[in-house]
Amino acid sequence: MIVDDQAVIRAGLRVLVDRDPDLTVVGEAVTGQHAVQLAPSLRPDILLMDIRMPGLDGIQATRQLLAAPDTAHLRVIMLTTFDTDEYIFDALRAGASGFLLKDTDPADLRKAIHVVAEGDALLTPNITRRLIDQYTRQPAGPGLLPATVAGLTERETEVLGLVGRGMTNGEIAAHLRLSPATVKTHVSRGMTKLDAHDRAQLVIAAYEYGLVRPGERNITG
């Protein structure tokens, strides 16, 4: 489902999406409020959501949709022309699964939809770097002991920290010498216990809980 207040943007996105035989546009909305009204009946899997719209903006609409039982399953990719930290963080905290600029290459846009549809977060290197920089600018806190992080086990907390460093499940499995299925289970349990909508919010949680410290990066290089 495409949500944008500009008709030419909606038309262009529809053409780009329809070029993928595995994707179908089920509807369009012209405002955030319109999206909130239409989504329950159209039941799309993915929303391409503009951030800045009159009335209810994309971030507010995302927050409302993901809080409602009928639309909590949705995965939202934010599209905007404004590459600013404010929108990135607000969109991710609202539950967005990805964040792309409107001038993204068409092939990358379609790839992003598939990535999010498969349950992964879409955090481009630029956005991940901004997210990391935001938290590394903050004073380092004392961190939390494994048993105190929202009921996570020691292993789940360890995995959360590695997710926060930007590692994939495969990289985490190799680093901890676990099976990919076991890592996926730990990630899923972490999402449940932290009430995280997807991996993007796990990255935020890792920083907020002090599991990733200033200067740390992906230890795989």
Side-chain angles (χ1 to χ4, degrees), residues 174-209:
H175 177 68
L176 298 180
R177 297 184 179 180
L178 299 173
S179 71
T182 298
V183 172
K184 184 177 181 179
T185 296
H186 288 317
V187 170
S188 296
R189 289 175 178 170
M191 289 176 62
T192 299
K193 292 179 180 180
L194 295 172
D195 195 27
H197 185 67
D198 58 23
R199 201 179 187 92
Q201 292 191 327
L202 283 185
V203 174
I204 291 175
Y207 279 90
E208 290 182 333
Y209 278 108

Side-chain angles (χ1 to χ4, degrees), residues 2-3 6 11 22 31 61 68 81 84 88 104 111 120 124 138 141 177 205 209 218 220-221:
I2 299 170
V3 186
Q6 298 183 49
D22 296 322
T31 66
T81 55
T84 64
I88 292 172
T104 297
K111 181 180 178 181
D120 291 326
T124 64
Q138 298 175 358
R177 297 184 179 180
Y209 278 108
N218 188 332
T220 65

